[in-house]
Amino acid sequence: MALNDEIRIGVIGAGNIGNVHILGLLETPGVTVAAVADVFLPLAEARAKEHQISKVYGNGEDLIHDPDIDAVVIAVSNEWHAPLAVKALQAGKHVLLEKPMAIDVKAAKEIVLAERESGKVLMISHQRRWEPLNMQVKELVQRGKLGNIYHAKTGWLRRKGIPGWGTWFTQMSKSGGGPLIDIGVHMLDLSLSLMGNPRPVSVFGATYSEFGPKRRGIGSWGKPNWSGSYDVEDLATALIKMDNGSTLTLDVSWAALTETDNQPYIHLLGTEGGATLRGSTYGKLFAEMFDKEIDVELQLPEQQTDPRLLMNMHFLECIRTGSEPLTSVMSGYTNNLILNAIYESSRTGKEVELDWDLSN
Ligand SMILES: NC(=O)c1ccc[n+]([C@@H]2O[C@H](COP(=O)([O-])OP(=O)(O)OC[C@H]3O[C@@H](n4cnc5c(N)ncnc54)[C@H](O)[C@@H]3O)[C@@H](O)[C@H]2O)c1
């Protein structure tokens, strides 16, 4: 593909985040949103009408087999991520896939193998990587300014934040889990990247479900379905050990009785410097010189570019140049391995060693 060729994208899933993708792609130079698909056809039709998208499909497979489409965005419930991503790669399409990469490790492996066979780009939609303060800290880490990052603490504690109670979000067979796989995966992804991508080796974790089953802790994302069910966790905690000796702790909740500003956070502890990031707008660096504490508040750039636009531009660049995305298929697989191990550790009460063998 030539560097300035227009890329024709089809969006599969016309729900909440599918619409966010459509809006973002419409603002992305070099892209045409050529089609939209949803198993709930009236929703796809409404999005097409609203955004003047010429083709509408009642399922993802028909869109995938449209020869006029170069790439797809997959923004459907988690259980369909792997089936659709594998089919899209096999049909020769590039894929921007919503997080979590897959519902479990088995499905994640299928995506990794399909990506390797296809030679196409598969990128995970972790837009937080492109937030300005996160990028500033990443650059400092890459320049060695924090020294050796030996420990990090991350989390996202919501007091009342259960999305779409009773819908696919709160059913294990459709989502793969609760806040851990929903918001924890963002923080895992970002923390590992900011720590310099050490290889995780083992996990100890626990999950709890104290509020969801009692219909408490309901949030504002997604419409509840009171005839549905709730069988996922509402809080998870974990300690992840890396092959370089560093550690990461993770705490996430959709519902918890605690003091929280409902913002995601990361604390990076390095031998030369530390960094704290909270939400999208607060960041601080910590160091010591001449026995004095030095704290530096990070500044947002005056001209800000929407992180989703930067993510889309990165996707296009990877398609055009054949380079590996920052949020690569293996980063998605790593996240799935850790999530799986946290659930397993919670079930067994034991530390779980990560099995990296893709042939198992
Ligand atoms: N990156 C982020 O910050 C972010 C934020 C929210 C949601 N998400 C992810 O986006 C995905 C969708 O979440 P949502 O909140 O938009 O959910 P949603 O329920 O609002 O929308 C999902 C849509 O997909 C459709 N769908 C389901 N299976 C399908 C299939 N096989 N083929 C075609 N359409 C299908 C449904 O009819 C629905 O309209 C999830 O994986 C979620 O984890 C990511």
Side-chain angles (χ1 to χ4, degrees):
M1 176 162 286
L3 284 183
N4 49 6
D5 274 356
E6 183 197 67
I7 294 175
R8 298 179 63 79
I9 299 188
V11 177
I12 305 175
N16 285 317
I17 211 72
N19 197 42
V20 172
H21 278 286
I22 293 170
L23 289 168
L25 290 167
L26 291 172
E27 297 295 317
T28 308
V31 166
T32 298
V33 183
V36 57
D38 199 291
V39 284
F40 184 48
L41 186 59
L43 184 60
E45 286 172 339
R47 298 288 189 218
K49 192 167 170 212
E50 187 184 349
H51 304 299
Q52 280 108 52
I53 300 168
S54 56
K55 289 190 193 168
V56 188
Y57 293 102
N59 69 71
E61 281 182 45
D62 289 347
L63 185 150
I64 284 169
H65 291 109
D66 181 338
D68 200 28
I69 300 283
D70 304 307
V72 296
V73 171
I74 299 177
V76 300
S77 40
N78 302 348
E79 70 178 311
W80 299 110
H81 285 194
L84 288 169
V86 168
K87 285 198 177 101
L89 290 165
Q90 287 170 345
K93 312 293 178 186
H94 304 282
V95 178
L96 179 60
L97 176 57
E98 260 306 341
K99 59 80 199 166
M101 184 165 92
I103 194 167
D104 58 24
V105 172
K106 185 171 167 285
K109 250 178 222 179
E110 288 164 12
I111 300 179
V112 174
L113 298 178
E115 188 259 5
R116 287 185 179 171
E117 287 241 312
S118 71
K120 297 290 164 188
V121 172
L122 182 127
M123 174 168 150
I124 313 297
S125 183
H126 278 299
Q127 71 279 359
R128 290 183 177 274
R129 294 260 200 124
W130 285 272
E131 288 187 355
L133 298 186
N134 297 344
M135 287 199 298
Q136 281 181 37
V137 171
K138 175 79 186 169
E139 202 239 340
L140 291 169
V141 170
Q142 281 173 328
R143 285 167 53 209
K145 296 290 180 190
L146 271 57
N148 172 35
I149 299 171
Y150 56 92
H151 183 60
K153 292 164 75 68
T154 192
W156 193 340
L157 294 172
R158 286 185 181 160
R159 183 157 175 180
K160 281 171 173 271
I162 294 176
W165 194 101
T167 68
W168 69 266
F169 272 107
T170 65
Q171 296 177 40
M172 197 68 177
S173 61
K174 298 182 190 303
S175 61
L180 182 57
I181 201 163
D182 181 37
I183 50 180
V185 70
H186 270 309
M187 303 322 291
L188 256 184
D189 178 76
L190 187 58
S191 304
L192 291 174
S193 162
L194 292 178
M195 290 173 82
N197 295 311
R199 188 175 169 97
V201 290
S202 70
V203 166
F204 186 80
T207 64
Y208 304 85
S209 193
E210 299 296 335
F211 299 98
K214 296 171 196 148
R215 302 183 178 203
R216 294 173 66 192
I218 309 302
S220 57
W221 183 269
K223 222 168 103 201
N225 169 15
W226 299 118
S227 59
S229 58
Y230 190 107
D231 65 354
V232 295
E233 83 282 358
D234 51 33
L235 182 141
T237 183
L239 171 68
I240 302 144
K241 291 190 207 159
M242 317 294 169
D243 64 349
N244 64 358
S246 63
T247 43
L248 170 67
T249 61
L250 170 73
D251 290 290
V252 283
S253 68
W254 274 344
L257 297 176
T258 186
E259 187 171 67
T260 171
D261 57 6
N262 292 308
Q263 296 282 346
Y265 61 85
I266 298 183
H267 302 284
L268 294 174
L269 280 63
T271 49
E272 304 302 319
T276 288
L277 289 155
R278 189 171 301 117
S280 304
T281 55
Y282 177 84
K284 207 168 187 177
L285 303 171
F286 305 88
E288 261 182 24
M289 205 178 253
F290 310 119
D291 294 330
K292 291 242 174 331
E293 292 176 2
I294 301 171
D295 299 358
V296 179
E297 201 158 320
L298 291 168
Q299 300 298 318
L300 284 165
E302 275 179 26
Q303 297 280 327
Q304 285 188 52
T305 312
D306 181 351
R308 285 185 172 276
L309 177 59
L310 294 174
M311 178 176 77
N312 290 346
M313 297 300 291
H314 181 64
F315 182 51
L316 300 187
E317 188 192 332
C318 292
I319 293 175
R320 290 180 173 131
T321 62
S323 50
E324 187 181 43
L326 287 173
T327 48
S328 66
V329 74
M330 278 315 287
S331 73
Y333 184 68
T334 305
N335 296 335
N336 267 120
L337 262 186
I338 295 173
L339 296 172
N340 216 64
I342 297 172
Y343 287 123
E344 187 183 334
S345 175
S346 184
R347 273 195 307 274
T348 61
K350 298 200 166 73
E351 186 172 354
V352 174
E353 307 275 328
L354 299 190
D355 178 2
W356 283 89
D357 189 350
L358 277 162
S359 62
N360 286 339

